[in-house]
Amino acid sequence: MAPLTNGSVHKSTKIHSKVVIIGSGPAGHTAAVYLARANLNPVLFEGFMANGFAAGGQLTTTTEIENYPGFPKGIMGPELMDKFREQSIRFGTQVITETVSKIDLSARPFRYWREGQEDEEPETADAVIIATGASAKRLGLNGEDMYWQSGISACAVCDGAVPIFRNKPLAVIGGGDSAAEEATYLTKYGSHVYVLVRRGELRASKIMAKRLMNNPKITVLWHTVATECQGDGDLLNNLRLKNVFTGEEKDLPVNGLFYAIGHEPATALVRNQLHTDEDGYIITGTRHNTN
Ligand code: NDP
């Protein structure tokens, strides 16, 4: 392998490692730091837009992180991930900016393939750490496909600043911390932000909920779900809403819709090879997971 000056490696001949880590979020880099310090020479595949995210994972799409110990003034998500990466590399982790697209856990050493090289000889590892994270869920509403990225997004931080949202009414669906954070962030750009909450209460933490409720540019619509996304053929300009108690339907003219309804685990890579729960998260710590 040919290490780059920053510790990454170029495409190489096939490698065998004691441990390969798939994923470059906090879990992947935490594993890398510990393994590297134990002289296990880990190889970490950070992905190339794996699961739709830049290397570093979902935190690269967030703004300020206020609740990570050691950063009393907060830190931006991408900056935190750069620091994680730097720390992994400092102790000798080989970071490869490619995506692992196929894996075979049926025999040891475990075999895996890089994206685009699925027909080639596999690379091998004695142990694999799956740290592939998750991605934002979508609702599959009528009109969603038509206006996806033309008014609809699952990432306010990535898309909130684009001109189509400037000084326009916007909506966020969800009642958790993500919804609170995204809605608050969007008030920088939109004229007003409506938060559609399907229940009569928020799931968000108290501090985030308070921030949301106290923002004069935010209105929470309780017991409300969206049923359809409408627009002019090019861009979104309206949502059909339904009150889940009364069944009453109405229009909400908005130019942006942001989903903040939770996440789906990126475990397709190991589906049918490891036990997962009903949401697709890997069940750890059980003997039947080790072939
Ligand atoms: P959560 O699972 O916490 O919240 C999801 C929200 O979406 C809930 O209010 C849920 O409603 C709602 N929802 C789910 N499905 C639907 C649907 N089909 N239609 C309408 N609404 C729906 O996910 P988050 O992404 O908000 O947070 C995940 C984790 O990340 C949490 O632990 C959170 O604390 C953390 N986080 C922390 C942040 C911070 O501290 N800065 C920022 C962002 C996330 P219901 O409540 O009715 O189930």
Side-chain angles (χ1 to χ4, degrees), residues 64-67 139 173-179 181 196 198-199 201-203 205 208 225 260-263:
E64 187 151 8
I65 299 166
E66 298 172 333
N67 51 358
L139 280 176
I173 300 181
D177 280 336
S178 295
E181 187 179 70
L196 280 48
R198 65 180 173 181
R199 293 188 293 143
E201 62 178 318
L202 295 167
R203 184 182 288 272
S205 56
M208 303 281 275
V225 295
I261 55 168
H263 294 80

Side-chain angles (χ1 to χ4, degrees), residues 86 212 265 285:
E86 193 184 324
L212 181 84

Side-chain angles (χ1 to χ4, degrees), residues 139 141-142 171 173 195-200 220-230 238-253 257:
L139 280 176
L141 299 175
N142 283 338
I173 300 181
V195 179
L196 280 48
V197 178
R198 65 180 173 181
R199 293 188 293 143
V220 177
L221 304 176
W222 303 106
H223 303 294
T224 300
V225 295
T227 55
E228 188 172 349
C229 309
Q230 300 172 335
N238 191 53
L239 288 181
R240 286 292 295 165
L241 303 186
K242 186 174 166 186
N243 183 302
V244 292
F245 268 164
T246 62
E248 183 198 345
E249 296 199 20
K250 65 176 183 183
D251 288 318
L252 181 69
L257 169 62

